[in-house]
Amino acid sequence: VQLVESGGGLVQPGGSLRLSCVASGFSLDYYDIGWFRQAPGKEREGVSCRRSSDGTTYYADSVQGRFTISRDNAKNTAYLQMNSLKPEDTADYYCSTCTVVGGTILSDGMDYWGKGTPVTVSS
């Protein structure tokens, strides 16, 4: 099982980035896939989760309306489109299998993690 994130970089406030997460060794058709981030000195937080069964998507309040999660079945790849980026979005971003409990996006415990991709929002 492997997850490989890419697409991070340096962007000015208000800009956009699209992150990609290529999965191998398992099919995203059967797992809920999500994005997490960890800023320096802060705990990891769930950003978004997409339910595999019906495509329902969930977002943290801090990114609602700005970020969009999607999936390409043929490529077994998940994406995170990030618009209207803010300096507080600066973090390392990771994809992993996810679950949602009480509105909070969490890792589902399978512990599949990539190495992450860094996002820096700064002028």
Side-chain angles (χ1 to χ4, degrees):
V1 172
Q2 189 175 24
L3 293 165
V4 179
E5 303 94 340
S6 64
L10 173 63
V11 63
Q12 292 186 342
S16 298
L17 284 174
R18 188 177 81 153
L19 306 184
S20 299
C21 169
V22 179
S24 58
F26 70 105
S27 173
L28 295 183
D29 289 348
Y30 305 111
Y31 291 88
D32 300 347
I33 191 70
W35 288 91
F36 299 78
R37 67 186 181 185
Q38 187 166 20
K42 295 188 176 181
E43 292 188 355
R44 185 180 64 204
E45 66 169 332
V47 174
S48 181
C49 183
R50 184 187 185 282
R51 187 182 294 169
S52 62
S53 59
D54 61 7
T56 299
T57 56
Y58 302 86
Y59 298 94
D61 289 344
S62 57
V63 307
Q64 180 74 47
R66 300 187 298 121
F67 290 10
T68 303
I69 189 171
S70 62
R71 189 187 75 187
D72 184 324
N73 293 346
K75 296 181 179 180
N76 208 32
T77 299
Y79 302 96
L80 185 69
Q81 178 67 43
M82 306 187 297
N83 298 329
S84 302
L85 283 161
K86 304 175 180 180
E88 51 263 43
D89 295 318
T90 295
D92 291 329
Y93 283 72
Y94 303 85
C95 63
S96 183
T97 52
C98 57
T99 188
V100 181
V101 178
T104 300
I105 298 165
L106 303 171
S107 170
D108 68 352
M110 297 188 68
D111 211 29
Y112 297 152
W113 294 97
K115 293 183 178 181
T117 185
V119 172
T120 303
V121 185
S122 175
S123 55

